Amino acid sequence: MGTLAGHLLPAIGFLVFAVYYSVLTSLALLQEQRVLKHPVLPGKLQGHRLFRQVSYEALTKVVIPILGIFGEYFLPLGVNRLQMIDWKDPRRPFIFKDNWQHVTMFGFFILSGVVDIVSQSHLARWGVKLERAAEALSFYVLVLLMLTHIENKSSLEIRVHLLLLIPSFLLALVLTVEVWDPNSPPFWLLKSWLALVLSSWMFQICEMYVPFTGQPWRAEDPMDHAFLTIFFCWHLGLAIAVLIIIYGLCSLWHFHHSSWTKTPCARYQPCPMESSGEELEKLKAETLAQDGVV
């Protein structure tokens, strides 16, 4: 079933993006934004033409997959899986299939990050649609690779990867629709929820390497197969709960931040009609002084 590290890093990466999109979507809904605004890099980097208006998301799409590629080839330290063909064998067989599939997946996510950087640095009108198209392509590649990733595996491994295909394929479809309609709040919510499901299920796959119960999963046991599907349904509900919690925390921050930014001078204060004569004379003197009349 591969390695724990081979699934843990993608799980962490997908979780980072899922939480990021959930926070971004929650704030956009609270602020009634029509366009999903991504935080950009600090001003020092924005001064360079290449990094003008580049978001943290674009840079993260490049950095995390590069770390993943390094892990696939050289972790644990001392190994080297760069070789694709065993030239010593007369049959010239392909080797390290799973690692090369993971590297291919990481490579398309790097491509998506590069497209984001180029699009955001040039501020093209069609840039957002191009970004969604590149992101959708990376998830279609993920689905395609997972279909062959389950070959020659146990029935339990096939089941867990087929369940992983559900949020991956739905994410690809949502991103495809966003190519034509990128500013639709329902799609923002759907994408955030599916990303949370995908990341949490990746952690469920990691749990199969180190079971909480201390007993390994049994591929020949139909009960393990049944509970695996039950756990996936629980992950669907867990993602909804996490999304609601993130929205609640963002709403608390939004309302507190709004109350801090309000100043007493910004509010309209009507003049009391039953003021004393001294107060009226004082207000009249201040008005005349502002008009330049002595």
Side-chain angles (χ1 to χ4, degrees), residues 32-292:
E32 299 182 354
Q33 297 178 4
R34 296 184 178 179
V35 178
L36 202 61
K37 299 178 182 179
H38 296 265
V40 297
L41 294 174
K44 294 181 180 180
L45 291 178
Q46 291 182 30
H48 195 283
R49 184 179 62 180
L50 180 63
F51 291 99
R52 184 181 60 182
Q53 300 298 323
V54 172
S55 65
Y56 286 98
E57 175 196 2
L59 193 61
T60 307
K61 281 184 182 179
V62 176
V63 173
I64 292 183
I66 288 177
L67 295 177
I69 291 176
F70 178 83
E72 291 292 336
Y73 284 144
F74 304 112
L75 289 180
L77 296 177
V79 302
N80 187 348
R81 303 187 187 91
L82 279 172
Q83 186 178 1
M84 180 182 290
I85 300 175
D86 187 0
W87 296 102
K88 296 180 180 180
D89 192 326
R91 297 175 301 171
R92 303 291 189 269
F94 290 105
I95 56 178
F96 305 126
K97 173 183 71 72
D98 290 351
N99 301 96
W100 280 99
Q101 286 179 337
H102 292 164
V103 167
T104 303
M105 176 192 70
F106 288 135
F108 274 88
F109 279 106
I110 292 175
L111 174 63
S112 175
V114 172
V115 171
D116 288 357
I117 292 175
V118 174
S119 169
Q120 294 167 10
S121 60
H122 288 79
L123 301 177
R125 293 182 179 178
W126 40 264
V128 176
K129 296 184 177 181
L130 182 62
E131 294 170 21
R132 297 290 80 78
E135 199 170 12
L137 175 62
S138 62
F139 278 99
Y140 281 122
V141 170
L142 171 61
V143 172
L144 182 62
L145 291 174
M146 286 299 103
L147 289 174
T148 58
H149 192 69
I150 60 180
E151 295 177 352
N152 301 322
K153 296 185 181 296
S154 67
S155 58
L156 190 67
E157 293 177 84
I158 293 175
R159 174 72 63 87
V160 71
H161 283 89
L162 286 178
L163 291 172
L164 181 67
L165 288 176
I166 296 176
S168 302
F169 182 67
L170 292 177
L171 263 173
L173 289 180
V174 171
L175 290 167
T176 302
V177 176
E178 281 195 325
V179 174
W180 289 274
D181 189 13
N183 300 320
S184 177
F187 289 135
W188 299 347
L189 287 171
L190 186 58
K191 182 167 62 175
S192 301
W193 174 63
L194 290 172
L196 288 170
V197 174
L198 178 62
S199 60
S200 66
W201 191 246
M202 288 291 294
F203 280 106
Q204 178 68 54
I205 297 177
C206 295
E207 186 272 339
M208 298 180 74
Y209 292 100
V210 187
F212 294 148
T213 61
Q215 295 295 328
W217 288 75
R218 294 173 293 273
E220 69 281 356
D221 191 344
M223 294 295 290
D224 285 14
H225 285 257
F227 271 93
L228 194 64
T229 306
I230 293 173
F231 289 160
F232 181 78
C233 295
W234 289 1
H235 279 267
L236 298 177
L238 176 64
I240 295 176
V242 172
L243 187 58
I244 292 174
I245 292 173
I246 292 176
Y247 182 84
L249 293 176
C250 289
S251 62
L252 290 176
W253 178 88
H254 173 71
F255 290 122
H256 280 287
H257 182 72
S258 301
S259 62
W260 293 339
T261 54
K262 289 181 179 180
T263 58
C265 296
R267 298 179 179 178
Y268 172 72
Q269 298 179 350
C271 179
M273 297 302 296
E274 298 180 357
S275 301
S276 61
E278 295 181 358
E279 292 179 351
L280 292 176
E281 290 295 332
K282 184 178 179 180
L283 289 173
K284 183 177 179 182
E286 290 178 356
T287 303
L288 292 176
Q290 292 176 359
D291 295 338

